[in-house]
Amino acid sequence: LALCFEETKDFARAIDLAQAALSIYKEAYPDEPNREIANLYIALGGCYSSLQDSNQAIESYGTALSILREIGKESPSLLAAN
């Protein structure tokens, strides 16, 4: 849903929904890196970038990168999955 609001350029709503989804995923998967969490951080980075909030965009993209690197260390085949 957050991605739909991003597509319609309602970035503030997309950010709210992505952050709500992050809370749910983090609660469901507290101790393991998760590709969906990384994807949400990527979406947040895109929204912040569109709002010209470079610091938040960099932080979001950096968090996504860290998660994806951790996934790659633990299960390289998961990065190849669609």
Side-chain angles (χ1 to χ4, degrees), residues 48-66:
Y48 287 125
S49 180
S50 294
L51 292 173
Q52 310 225 345
D53 187 342
S54 299
N55 291 332
Q56 285 291 88
I58 290 168
E59 182 179 328
S60 296
Y61 288 135
T63 301
L65 181 59
S66 294

Side-chain angles (χ1 to χ4, degrees), residues 4 6-7 18 20 22 24 31 35 37-38 42 44 49-52 61 69 79-81:
C4 292
E6 185 179 3
E7 289 294 319
L22 272 173
I24 292 167
D31 296 323
R35 188 173 171 171
I37 292 173
I42 291 168
L44 280 170
S49 180
S50 294
L51 292 173
Q52 310 225 345
Y61 288 135
R69 283 182 174 153
L79 291 179

Side-chain angles (χ1 to χ4, degrees), residues 7-19:
E7 289 294 319
T8 63
K9 310 265 187 256
D10 188 348
F11 301 113
R13 184 73 175 133
I15 288 168
D16 288 342
L17 290 170
Q19 288 175 336

Side-chain angles (χ1 to χ4, degrees), residues 21-32:
L22 272 173
S23 294
I24 292 167
Y25 272 107
K26 286 179 177 180
E27 187 175 320
Y29 305 100
D31 296 323
E32 64 182 81

